[in-house]
């Protein structure tokens, strides 16, 4: 009844609920829209509620909509009575819907205010434009390694702007994500302004953290707490300009977040270090190599048109290897292919970066870095930018400019200025605005930074600078509006320089700095400097003239003068003595400086005098040096020819005198001295006793070489007889002890070097070289050791059959126990000892700890040395516990040490050595153990290079543990070595994985007894099968065999070279090949027993397996007389192989057998003898091979590859060199089909047996296809083709087009005895031929006909030698000559060199009447052509030919080294035969020659007759 009577109420209630619901829907929708506008996302259940609520509202409205007046509940009769049944149903439905809507409304009570949330920003680190440059791979790998290192928290990545730091950091993040190294990877851009709030927001967005309106510190706390929830997270902070306070940002990690890492990218290394990255975890990105830059440019631009190639090369060079510049400019050039646009782009790159649309982005990038510098750093960078491209700018030169221009305030001394410059340079290098130069204490400026510096300097309102990149006329530059206001002008040399002559005067009155570089011999006008009186710093390079301009007197304000005098005559520089304010005078490398005049002594303020490299300087006037009382630095390296006066020696009147070295003692402020003295006798006694140098480089003697410029205290002494007396003077001893580079050579009678050691002795010594000190016994003077009785050794363990023999007395080592390892030599990095034949050892065990910094050790040609490190009796108590550790040794070179048996180890080591081939008795075991160079207790933690040569007492090199960091191993000419490594215990090789993770290169040379790399496994048991015995026999004959040690791996080996090892049958086991994934170069030579490179690849199931060298790029097999095949297996793949050379392998039958192999190798060999196989079959997969050279292969391989196969095995082959003639005369013929199937051949070299003609009938097939092959050919060399009769013949059934040889540039034909003609068809065109060489082809009558000659438009060099039948070079067709001889001509427009050598039948170059044009012919050489009476019967025009050269000894090499011959023709024309006409000159030459020969014959006959007459008249 309720539904009947409350019907209206329920309908009204439903309407109210709908109204309320709609209001809530609208309100939530409004909040949602606002949240979306703020970047938030709507909570999922709110979105579900919105959908449900909207649906419920719409449903209720549909319920009410058909009958809003409630007529449906009335009866259908004519009276208005209610329909009770319907009324009940509608009422009930309204109630249910109202309740459902109420439930939906009630759900909103749970929403609160959080209907939205800040979504987590998921950054994608994918980069479609990322290029995997080869130079970046190492950096990428090391960064990934650092990410995996639990000890590393912060990694730095620095580099110049636009170098690719951000892209590389993103790639690291992508790889980290791909490898699941972290749970999250987030990135924030810091930028120059480093807005903390923005950085926090970027990180928070990627973490899903929402900030309200908290202050920065609160946001930092919230962010810090959120980050602590992540156990493994990677944060990339990009573009950091200055140190960022991570705590202030909120990046706070505790001990629970040890696996959280931060990558910082910055333009400054110092910023990375300030952020927490150390030296090892800060990586700097360098510019791209030229090849990488070109590849990137071409990838964007696409195929460059030939006419644009030179422009493209220049554009790439201007970009300086900077990816941003290359991408920006290449993208602009890509859309416009007009040559004018490309030329304009290049011009903009060179001149006006600020006005260039293309260059603007790059310019702004670096201008921002420049603006961030301080004023002093800006000034220094501008001066660096004033130097030429790629110039090594010396810090010493920069210091001079700084001092002269007063750029630094509060810097008063030269030392202070030098320190300030070095500090600023380090800062600029940290910001990547400068880079290290090629030499120590030099820097370079990146080309683009230099451009920015030049642009900025020219725009300065105060003190503008003017710097040019191109060759200019300085007089034209003076027409600029602001030229008179310039404070600095720089015109770099190199590719540029100054064109023509300098103007009479340089009108720039405000000029303070002038740098003029020229390419040689520019003379300065006499009045040039009259209007530059304010000049303070002047650099003039390669200035000519006999004396300096008189206007130098005007430069009274000049403080720094850098002058390079270029002149073969003596130049007078006395006028410099009038410039009294000069502080720095640099005359280095002045070839024209012979005399340093007395006027230089007037420079009373001079602090620096640099005469380095003045190799012709002979005279320094007396008292010049001693007059320079303020001199602080004197440089005279390379000045050898000054005849220093001996103090106290009187000379006769008028005799030329020189300065004395004693004058140097009278320079009270001298701090730096660089001096070369050839004659040690002129050094005054006690010269160095009272001098105290901060830096010195003193060389006494001959041929001492140039020391490293990184060393600041260098002392080198050699040869002088009386040097040994000077050696022990107090001052000289003090110099030795303070040196960081000490070189002593050939000083006679020296037994020790130092009298006594003190606390400061040799603390700074980094490099020590002792050479040819025949009597040297010890470094320090020692008293004779007391007599000591030799006790027998302690009782030996019970298992030894008898006591060890008595130890021999140990000799006194070079560095004995008196050397304190805690004080002396503790900074030594390089030690070289050679030809010291009194030494028997180098170090005592007690002193080796002083060598913790040693990086390079070289010992050679010391006849008596038996061990390097000796255990003296004083160290007997500690020898058993001490390990010999060299933590930083990188390179070890031992050479020609005939008695060397060991590097050095304690006797206790002998008991730990267990050599698997057990000797018969313990004494032999001890002897074998002692022949191992490095034992287990000799530890080289960082040894990277080991070279051992001519050490003939060694049988093994090292234990496994001592070589874990080795990168390069080279062993040469060690006659007794049988294996390289020894494993000291059996458990080591049965349970461990033996990996050489860093070994990159192995070279084993001339080791006649070498059998294996490692001492192998023990003797087989009695149950061993016959097959296992055979396999074990092979194992002992495989050089690298991982079957001996199952875990043996060379995962990083890139180069393997083996030669002269005649005991090896197999090089690599199949199992070992699997570990050579990085091998790039494999070279095997002169191994007389080598039969196969890789052993049979058989799996456990007995089936043949694939052999793969995935990274191999170069393979060379040379002089392997027993080599039959490379490998056996299912197939061999070398997808990266580019070069393959097989030389003198006379038994080589096939690269890999084509048929299935039987279990026994002997059966395989027998079947191969019956069935001849090609050298290469389809099982050889070398898809990228570009160069193939084969010489003298097996006679059983009568094909190079299967001729019936349609597959081209080497589709990318570009160079093919086939020589089938062996040293014993055997020839393996080859067919033209072996050649013409390759579509990409560019170079062909053939010698040996090739049947018939090069292009012969029958075998060619489709001439059109072969025409395509030959159309790419650039170089063709044919030698000793004994059956070749015709070279270029066009058979009727082969349709070769005129374009067949259109790309041919070089043609060489030598020693083809049966060759009758080069070209027999006029259809061929040789339009690109530049070099033509024909020699020793004795049936050849001529080279080509007239029509072919007209196509040789590019011919540049021609050499014809030793062809006995050649009568003319250009063949004459008589009929053609008769018809048009007078009207036609042959033009060799580019021919520069023509050689006619030993052509006894040659009558003329051309016997026809055509006119010959040689517009560029510079050298014509005619030798031994006795029948040549004229050059041509027609007229000849050779305007550049100035004479006829008739003799040239270099021509003797024409037959085998034609390119060298052309490049080294230096004969001068013989002008006495020159008549300004080639025909007349040749006739005159041979007339004179014949007259001379006739006269010689007549004189010879007269002499013979006279001798005969004299002989007959003499008495018997």
């Amino acid at each position: 009844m309720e539904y009947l009577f409350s019907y209206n109420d329920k309908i009204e209630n439903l309407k109210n609920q709908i109204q309320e619901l709609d209001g809530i829907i609208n309100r939530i929708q409004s909040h949602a829209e606002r949240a979306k506008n703020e970047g938030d996302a709507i909570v999922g259940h709110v979105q579900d509620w919105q959908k449900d609520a909207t649906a419920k509202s719409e449903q209720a409205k549909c319920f009410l909509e058909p009958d809003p007046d409630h007529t449906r509940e009335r009866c259908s009769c004519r009276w208005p009575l209610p329909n009770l049944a319907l009324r009940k149903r509608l009422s009930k439905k309204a109630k249910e819907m109202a309740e459902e809507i109420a439930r939906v409304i009630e759900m909103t009570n749970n929403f609160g205010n959080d209907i939205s949330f800040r979504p987590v920003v998921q950054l994608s680190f994918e980069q479609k434009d990322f290029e995997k440059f080869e130079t970046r791979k190492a950096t990428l790998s090391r960064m990934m390694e650092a990410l995996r290192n639990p000890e590393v928290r912060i990694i730095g990545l620095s580099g110049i702007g636009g170098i690719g730091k951000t892209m590389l950091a993103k790639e690291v993040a992508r790889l980290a994500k791909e490898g699941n190294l972290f749970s999250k990877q987030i990135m924030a851009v810091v930028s120059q302004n480093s807005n903390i709030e923005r950085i926090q927001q970027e990180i928070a967005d990627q973490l899903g953290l929402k900030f309200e309106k908290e202050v920065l510190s609160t946001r930092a706390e919230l962010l810090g707490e959120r980050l602590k929830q992540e156990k493994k997270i990677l944060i990339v902070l990009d573009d950091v300009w200055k140190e960022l306070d991570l705590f202030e940002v909120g990046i706070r990690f505790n001990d629970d977040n040890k696996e959280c890492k931060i990558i910082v990218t910055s333009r400054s290394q110092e910023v990375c270090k300030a952020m927490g990255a150390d030296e090892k975890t800060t990586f700097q990105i360098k510019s791209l190599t030229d090849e990488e830059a070109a590849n990137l440019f071409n990838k964007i631009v696409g195929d460059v048109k030939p006419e644009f190639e030179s422009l493209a090369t220049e554009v790439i060079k201007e970009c300086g290897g900077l990816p941003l510049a290359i991408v920006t400019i290449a993208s602009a050039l890509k859309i416009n292919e007009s040559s004018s646009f490309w030329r304009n782009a290049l011009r903009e790159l060179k001149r006006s970066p600020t006005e260039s649309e293309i260059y603007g982005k790059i310019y702004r990038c670096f201008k921002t870095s420049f603006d961030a510098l301080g004023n002093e750093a800006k000034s220094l960078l501008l001066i660096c930018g004033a130097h030429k491209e790629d110039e090594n700018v010396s810090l010493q030169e920069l210091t001079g400019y700084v001092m002269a221009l007063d750029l630094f305030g509060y810097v008063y001394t030269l030392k202070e200025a030098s320190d300030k410059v070095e500090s600023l340079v380090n800062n600029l290098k940290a910001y990547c605005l400068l880079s290290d130069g090629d030499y120590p204490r030099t820097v370079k400026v990146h080309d683009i930074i230099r451009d920015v510096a030049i642009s900025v300097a020219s725009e300065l309102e105060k003190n503008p600078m003017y710097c040019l990149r191109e060759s200019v006329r300085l007089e034209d530059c003076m027409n600029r509006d602001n030229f008179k206001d310039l404070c600095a002008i720089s015109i770099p040399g190199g590719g540029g320089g100054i064109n023509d002559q300098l103007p009479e005067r340089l009108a720039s009155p405000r000029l303070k700095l002038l740098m003029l570089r020229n390419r040689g011999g520019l003379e300065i006008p006499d009045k040039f400097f009259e209007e530059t009186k304010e000049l303070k710093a002047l650099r003039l390079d390669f200035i000519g003239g006999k004396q300096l301009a008189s206007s130098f007197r005007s430069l009274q304000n000049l403080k720094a003068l850098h002058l390079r005098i270029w002149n073969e005559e003596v130049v007078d520089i006395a006028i410099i003595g009038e410039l009294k304010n000069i502080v720095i005078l640099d005359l280095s490398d002045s070839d024209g400086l012979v005399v340093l005049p007395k006027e230089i002594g007037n420079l009373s303020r001079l602090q620096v005098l640099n005469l380095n490299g003045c190799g012709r300087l002979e005279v320094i006037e007396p008292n010049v040096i001693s007059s320079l009382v303020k001199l602080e630095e004197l440089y005279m390296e390379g000045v050898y020819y000054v005849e220093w006066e001996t103090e106290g020696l009187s000379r006769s009147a008028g005799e030329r005198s020189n300065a004395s070295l004693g004058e140097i003692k009278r320079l009270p402020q001298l701090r730096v001295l660089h001096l070369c003295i050839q004659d040690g006798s002129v050094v005054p006694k006690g010269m160095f006793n009272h001098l105290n140098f901060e830096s010195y480089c003193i060389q006494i003697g001959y041929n001492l070489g140039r020391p490293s410029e990184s060393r600041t205290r260098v002392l080198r002494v050699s040869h002088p007889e009386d040097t040994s007396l000077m050696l022990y003077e107090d001052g000289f001893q003090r110099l030795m002890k303070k040196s960081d580079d000490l070189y002593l050579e050939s000083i006679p009678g020296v037994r020790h070097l130092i009298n006594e050691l003190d606390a400061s002795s040799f603390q700074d010594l980094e490099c020590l070289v002792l050479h040819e000190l025949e009597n040297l016994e010890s470094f320090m003077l020692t008293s004779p050791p007391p007599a000591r009785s030799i006790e027998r050794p302690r009782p030996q363990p019970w298992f030894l059959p008898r006591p060890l023999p008595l130890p021999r007395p140990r000799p006194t080592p070079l560095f004995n126990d008196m050397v304190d390892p805690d004080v002396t030599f503790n900074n030594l990095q390089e030690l070289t000892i050679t030809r010291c034949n009194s030494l028997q050892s180098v170090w005592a065990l007690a002193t080796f700890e002083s060598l913790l910094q040693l990086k390079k050790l070289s010992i050679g040609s010391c006849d008596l040395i038996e061990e390097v490190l000796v255990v003296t009796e004083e160290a007997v108590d500690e020898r058993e516990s001490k390990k010999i550790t060299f933590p930083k040794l990188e390179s070890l070179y031992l050479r020609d040490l005939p008695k060397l048996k060991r590097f050095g180890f304690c006797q206790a080591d002998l008991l730990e050595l267990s050599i698997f081939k057990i000797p018969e008795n313990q004494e032999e075991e001890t002897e074998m153990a002692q022949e191992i160079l490095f034992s287990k207790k000799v530890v080289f933690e960082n040894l990277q290079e080991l070279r051992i040569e001519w050490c003939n007492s060694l049988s093994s090199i090292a234990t496994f543990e001592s070589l874990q960091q080795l990168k390069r191993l080279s062993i040469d000419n060690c006659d007794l070595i049988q294996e390289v490594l020894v494993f000291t215990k059996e458990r080591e090789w049965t349970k461990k994985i033996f990996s050489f993770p860093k070994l990159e290169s192995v070279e084993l040379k001339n080791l006649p007894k070498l059998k294996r790399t490692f001492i192998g496994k023990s003797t087989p048991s009695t149950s061993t099968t016959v097959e296992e015995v055979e396999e074990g026999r092979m194992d002992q004959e495989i050089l690298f065999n991982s079957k001996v040690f199952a875990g043996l791996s060379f995962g990083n080996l890139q180069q393997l070279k083996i030669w002269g090892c005649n005991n090896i049958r197999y090089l690599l086991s199949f199992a070992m090949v699997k570990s050579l994934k990085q091998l790039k170069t494999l070279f095997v030579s002169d191994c007389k027993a080598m039969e196969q490179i890789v052993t049979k690849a058989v799996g456990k199931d007995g089936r043949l397996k694939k052999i793969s060298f995935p990274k191999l790029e170069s393979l060379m097999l040379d002089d392997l007389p027993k080599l039959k095949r490379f490998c056996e297996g299912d197939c061999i793949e070398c997808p990266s192989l580019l070069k393959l050379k097989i030389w003198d392998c006379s038994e080589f039958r096939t690269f890999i057998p084509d048929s299935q192999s039987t279990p026994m190798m002997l059966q395989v060999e027998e079947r191969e003898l019956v069935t001849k196989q090609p050298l290469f079959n389809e099982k050889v997969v070398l898809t990228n091979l570009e160069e193939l050279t084969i010489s003298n292969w097996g006679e059983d391989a009568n094909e190079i590859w299967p001729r019936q196969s349609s597959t081209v095995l080497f589709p990318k082959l570009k160079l093919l060199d086939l020589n089938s003639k062996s040293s014993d005369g055997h020839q393996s013929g080859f067919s033209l089909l072996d050649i013409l199937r390759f579509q990409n051949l560019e170079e062909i070299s053939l010698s040996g047996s090739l049947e018939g003609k090069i292009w012969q009938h029958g075998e060619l097939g489709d001439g059109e296809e072969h025409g395509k092959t030959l159309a790419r050919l650039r170089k063709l060399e044919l030698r000793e083709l004994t059956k070749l009769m015709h070279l270029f013949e066009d058979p009727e059934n082969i349709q070769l087009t005129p374009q067949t040889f259109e790309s041919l540039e070089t043609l060489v034909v030598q020693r083809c005895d049966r060759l009758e003609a080069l070209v027999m068809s006029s259809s061929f065109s040789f339009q690109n031929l530049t070099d033509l060489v024909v020699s020793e082809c004795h049936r050849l009558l001529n080279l080509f006909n007239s029509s072919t000659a007209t196509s040789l438009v590019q011919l540049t060099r021609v050499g014809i030698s030793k062809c006995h039948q050649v009568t003319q070079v250009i063949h004459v067709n008589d009929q053609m000559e008769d018809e048009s001889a007078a009207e036609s001509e042959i033009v060799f427009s580019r021919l520069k060199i023509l050689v006619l050598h030993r052509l006894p039948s040659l009558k003329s170059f051309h016997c026809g009447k055509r006119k010959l044009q040689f517009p560029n012919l510079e050298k014509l050489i005619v030798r031994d052509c006795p029948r040549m009476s004229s050059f041509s019967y027609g007229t000849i025009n050779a305007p550049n030919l100035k004479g006829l050269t008739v003799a040239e000894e270099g021509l003797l090499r024409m037959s085998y080294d034609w390119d060298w011959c052309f490049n080294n023709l230096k004969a001068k024309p013989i002008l006495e035969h020159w008549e300004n006409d080639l025909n007349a000159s040749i006739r005159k030459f041979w007339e004179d020659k014949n007259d001379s020969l006739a006269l010689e014959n007549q004189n010879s006959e007269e002499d013979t007759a006279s001798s005969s007459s004299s002989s007959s008249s003499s008495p018997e």
Side-chain angles (χ1 to χ4, degrees), residues 586-807:
D586 185 348
L587 301 171
S588 59
D589 300 317
S590 292
D591 290 337
L593 185 62
V594 178
V595 178
L596 192 69
K598 61 183 180 182
E599 286 80 3
I600 299 299
N602 298 330
L603 304 178
S604 58
R605 298 185 180 182
L606 193 66
Q607 298 181 32
V608 178
L609 176 59
N610 189 347
L611 301 172
N612 281 348
C614 295
R616 294 178 61 197
L617 183 61
E618 298 177 0
V619 177
I620 299 177
E621 296 282 357
N623 301 319
V624 170
I625 294 177
S626 58
S627 299
L628 307 175
V629 292
K630 290 191 176 182
L631 198 65
E632 297 184 23
E633 300 179 10
L634 175 60
Y635 299 92
M636 297 184 66
E637 283 186 61
V639 181
Y640 291 107
Y641 300 110
V642 174
E643 297 180 2
W644 298 97
E645 295 284 351
T646 303
E647 281 193 320
L649 181 66
S650 59
R651 288 188 178 271
S652 58
E655 190 174 357
R656 189 181 70 179
S657 61
N658 238 323
S660 163
L661 286 172
E663 293 186 36
I664 296 176
K665 295 192 296 183
R666 298 193 287 274
L667 299 176
Q669 299 185 32
L670 192 64
R671 297 181 299 105
V672 179
L673 175 63
H674 288 215
L675 185 63
C676 292
I677 307 168
Q678 281 200 348
D679 183 4
S681 65
V682 300
V683 180
K685 184 177 181 180
M687 173 178 173
F688 304 106
N689 287 351
H690 304 291
L691 293 174
N692 189 19
F693 304 123
E694 294 178 8
S695 172
Y696 53 86
C697 178
I698 300 172
Q699 302 185 63
I700 304 175
Y702 303 94
N703 301 323
L704 292 172
R706 187 169 185 174
S708 169
E709 295 186 24
S710 62
R711 307 262 161 73
T712 59
R713 293 187 295 279
V714 179
L715 181 60
R716 297 192 165 199
V717 182
S718 173
H719 293 297
E721 292 291 335
D722 52 355
T723 304
S724 56
L725 301 176
M726 180 176 59
L727 192 68
Y728 302 113
E729 292 180 357
D730 291 343
F732 203 86
Q733 290 268 304
R734 188 168 63 250
L735 284 179
M736 290 173 62
K737 294 175 183 179
K738 288 179 60 179
S739 297
D740 55 20
D741 185 321
L742 179 59
Y743 181 106
L744 302 175
E745 175 187 351
S746 302
I747 305 177
V750 172
R751 296 182 179 274
H752 70 277
L753 301 177
I754 298 297
N755 292 327
E756 60 180 1
L757 292 172
D758 52 51
S760 62
S761 297
F762 302 103
Q763 284 189 346
D764 299 320
L765 186 63
E766 296 179 2
C767 178
L768 173 62
V769 177
L770 305 176
H771 176 62
E772 212 168 336
L773 303 178
E774 294 285 346
N775 302 108
L776 182 65
E777 296 177 355
S778 65
F779 197 83
M780 178 181 172
L781 179 64
T782 58
S783 57
R788 185 184 296 270
S789 61
I790 300 178
E791 299 180 1
R792 297 189 66 83
R794 290 171 289 179
Q796 302 299 314
W798 60 271
F799 54 84
L800 292 179
R802 59 184 173 210
L804 292 173
L806 290 174

Side-chain angles (χ1 to χ4, degrees), residues 471-537:
S471 299
V472 295
R473 285 172 50 90
L474 187 57
E475 197 166 2
D476 296 337
C477 301
M478 293 173 62
N479 296 326
R480 290 169 56 101
D481 294 337
N482 66 337
F483 191 83
K484 291 187 176 182
D485 297 327
L486 293 176
C487 79
I489 298 175
S490 173
I491 302 182
I498 303 167
N499 281 342
D500 302 327
Q501 296 180 345
L502 293 173
E504 186 65 23
R505 285 183 174 85
L506 182 61
S508 189
R510 296 184 57 194
L511 194 65
K512 292 182 173 60
L513 170 64
L514 175 62
M515 302 167 70
L516 294 181
R517 265 72 58 88
N518 191 53
R519 282 165 287 188
L522 185 71
E523 294 192 23
I524 305 296
D526 209 42
K527 300 180 180 180
F528 185 74
F529 294 111
E530 287 186 350
E531 297 184 36
T532 59
K533 296 181 179 180
E534 296 298 317
L535 199 63
K536 293 186 175 181

Side-chain angles (χ1 to χ4, degrees), residues 796-1059:
Q796 302 299 314
W798 60 271
F799 54 84
L800 292 179
R802 59 184 173 210
L804 292 173
L806 290 174
R808 293 179 302 167
R810 299 287 188 178
T812 302
L814 176 64
F815 302 100
N816 54 42
D817 294 348
M818 299 181 67
V819 175
D820 186 353
D822 296 326
V823 177
T824 309
F825 304 112
N826 52 16
N827 203 37
L828 188 64
Q829 298 178 24
E830 299 179 27
L831 174 61
T832 300
I833 302 174
T834 51
R835 296 188 182 180
C836 296
N837 289 325
S838 295
L839 289 180
Q840 295 182 358
S841 63
V842 182
W843 286 290
L845 178 63
T847 64
F848 90 93
E849 291 181 352
S850 65
L851 306 175
L852 298 181
Q853 304 299 319
L854 194 66
K855 293 182 178 180
K856 295 181 180 180
L857 173 61
S858 177
I859 306 175
S861 301
C862 297
D863 294 344
L864 300 182
I865 283 186
E866 296 184 10
E867 52 192 340
V868 178
L869 186 63
V870 63
V871 181
T872 58
E873 294 180 32
E874 289 80 358
V876 70
D877 295 332
E878 58 179 342
R879 67 184 179 184
E880 294 187 8
S881 60
K882 179 163 289 191
K883 268 199 172 184
I884 304 169
T885 305
F886 297 87
K888 294 189 177 181
L889 190 66
E890 297 176 358
S891 175
L892 176 57
Y893 183 23
L894 304 176
R895 185 181 187 277
D896 193 14
L897 306 174
K899 292 191 176 182
L900 180 69
K901 293 185 176 180
R902 54 196 162 271
F903 189 85
F905 51 83
C906 301
Q907 190 174 359
D909 276 346
L910 302 184
L911 304 180
E912 297 185 10
L913 287 169
S914 176
I915 300 185
F916 303 140
K917 183 179 178 182
I918 304 297
E920 293 182 1
N921 56 55
Q922 182 64 37
E923 187 172 338
E924 291 182 13
E925 180 177 349
T926 300
E927 182 180 353
M928 180 175 287
Q930 288 180 336
E931 291 173 353
I932 301 173
L933 182 59
F934 306 115
S935 80
K936 185 176 180 180
K937 286 197 173 182
V938 180
V939 180
F940 301 106
E941 297 177 352
N942 200 40
L943 186 64
Q944 298 178 28
E945 180 177 8
L946 174 60
R947 294 175 61 194
I948 301 173
E949 298 177 5
W950 300 96
C951 296
N952 291 327
S953 294
L954 297 177
S955 63
S956 300
I957 299 301
T959 59
F960 169 79
E961 297 86 345
S962 57
L963 302 176
Q964 285 295 283
Q965 302 299 317
L966 198 65
K967 290 185 178 180
R968 294 171 295 278
L969 172 64
S970 176
I971 307 174
D972 184 6
N973 281 290
C974 298
D975 292 345
L976 299 183
I977 282 184
Q978 298 182 31
E979 57 274 321
V980 178
L981 293 182
V982 172
F983 289 77
T984 57
K985 292 185 180 180
E986 184 170 353
R987 65 175 181 271
E988 292 180 351
W989 61 268
T990 55
K991 297 182 179 180
K992 285 186 179 181
I993 294 178
F994 296 104
S995 173
F996 295 85
K998 297 185 178 181
L999 190 63
E1000 297 176 358
S1001 174
V1002 174
E1003 295 187 11
L1004 305 177
K1005 182 178 181 181
N1006 296 328
L1007 308 176
K1009 293 191 176 183
L1010 182 68
K1011 295 182 178 179
R1012 51 196 173 269
T1013 316
F1014 316 98
I1015 289 186
K1017 59 184 177 183
S1018 55
T1019 306
S1021 65
T1022 56
S1023 61
T1024 305
T1025 65
V1026 175
E1027 288 81 2
E1028 288 173 339
V1029 170
E1030 173 64 19
E1031 189 176 353
R1033 181 184 67 80
M1034 282 183 56
D1035 287 346
Q1036 296 301 318
E1037 297 172 328
I1038 302 172
L1039 185 59
F1040 293 89
N1041 187 4
S1042 64
K1043 293 178 67 178
V1044 176
F1045 308 105
L1048 193 60
S1049 173
F1050 295 90
N1052 200 43
L1053 189 66
Q1054 299 176 32
Q1055 176 176 277
L1056 177 59
K1057 294 186 176 182
I1058 311 292
W1059 64 99

Side-chain angles (χ1 to χ4, degrees), residues 362 545 746 1176 1194 1229:
I362 307 166
S746 302
F1176 303 101

Side-chain angles (χ1 to χ4, degrees), residues 184-201:
K184 287 184 181 295
Q185 298 84 20
I186 62 179
M187 183 173 185
V189 179
V190 178
S191 75
Q192 189 174 4
N193 297 326
S194 61
N195 186 311
I196 300 295
E197 186 174 352
R198 181 184 54 78
I199 298 169
Q200 290 174 332
Q201 192 64 55

Side-chain angles (χ1 to χ4, degrees), residues 1309-1368:
V1309 184
Q1310 296 178 331
R1311 297 184 293 281
C1312 297
D1313 294 337
R1314 299 183 63 187
L1315 183 66
E1316 297 177 357
L1318 289 183
V1319 183
M1320 295 188 65
S1321 171
S1322 60
S1323 63
F1324 294 127
S1325 173
F1326 301 92
Q1327 60 188 26
N1328 284 305
L1329 191 68
T1330 58
D1331 291 334
L1332 174 62
V1333 176
V1334 181
S1335 69
E1336 297 183 74
C1337 298
H1338 299 310
R1339 289 194 182 183
L1340 195 65
L1341 301 177
N1342 55 72
L1343 270 64
F1344 32 72
N1345 57 33
S1346 301
S1347 59
T1348 302
T1350 57
S1351 70
L1352 303 176
V1353 293
Q1354 300 293 330
L1355 197 62
T1356 306
R1357 305 185 298 184
V1358 175
I1360 309 171
S1361 175
K1362 301 179 184 178
C1363 297
H1364 295 167
Q1365 300 300 320
V1366 167
T1367 58
Q1368 55 185 334

